Amino acid sequence: MAGCSCYPVEKNGVEYNHFIAETFGECLYSVREIASFMIGMSSLLFWFCCQTPQFIKNYTRKSGNALSKWFLIEWFMGDALNLLGCVLTQQLVTQLATSVLFICVDVAMITQILYYSCFYNHEKEERKKSISETQ
């Protein structure tokens, strides 16, 4: 997707931003377009930070029981369909990046919850059992 060829090279006497065009494949000319792009990209950081407290809480509690598994599955399906829609309609890079971030966060959250509910408690019980057998 990156590395586009911008035509026309200039609009209203302003040349396109070469860095954004080569890196992200978007042809942006005006300060307004570049500002819009930068705000969209910065929103990725905010979306990432939104989930961080839940990851930390799950880690400190060693549990993911605070969130419904069905809610997470529905959330993941909605984000997957959003990503599919972005790909099929060839949306802007910022929209595609946001969709990919949502999927990555969803997968990480589901993985964390599965680990704590299926493996962590089982391993903990195994350790307790082996300690009690040795005593």
Side-chain angles (χ1 to χ4, degrees), residues 62-77:
K62 304 293 187 228
S63 171
N65 292 336
L67 294 172
S68 163
K69 289 167 186 65
W70 292 111
F71 170 74
L72 283 175
I73 290 168
E74 289 177 30
W75 194 356
F76 174 80
M77 293 304 296

Side-chain angles (χ1 to χ4, degrees), residues 44-97:
L44 291 173
L45 177 65
F46 289 102
W47 278 113
F48 177 77
C49 292
C50 286
Q51 299 300 330
T52 303
Q54 187 64 50
F55 282 115
I56 293 169
K57 185 164 280 200
N58 290 350
Y59 176 77
T60 56
R61 290 184 176 177
K62 304 293 187 228
S63 171
N65 292 336
L67 294 172
S68 163
K69 289 167 186 65
W70 292 111
F71 170 74
L72 283 175
I73 290 168
E74 289 177 30
W75 194 356
F76 174 80
M77 293 304 296
D79 288 341
L81 291 173
N82 182 35
L83 176 60
L84 180 63
C86 282
V87 170
L88 292 176
T89 58
Q90 300 175 347
Q91 294 298 309
L92 297 172
V93 173
T94 52
Q95 293 166 315
L96 183 63

Side-chain angles (χ1 to χ4, degrees), residues 34-45 47 94-95 97-98:
I34 294 168
S36 175
F37 177 82
M38 298 307 286
I39 290 169
M41 291 304 277
S42 67
S43 75
L44 291 173
L45 177 65
W47 278 113
T94 52
Q95 293 166 315
T98 303

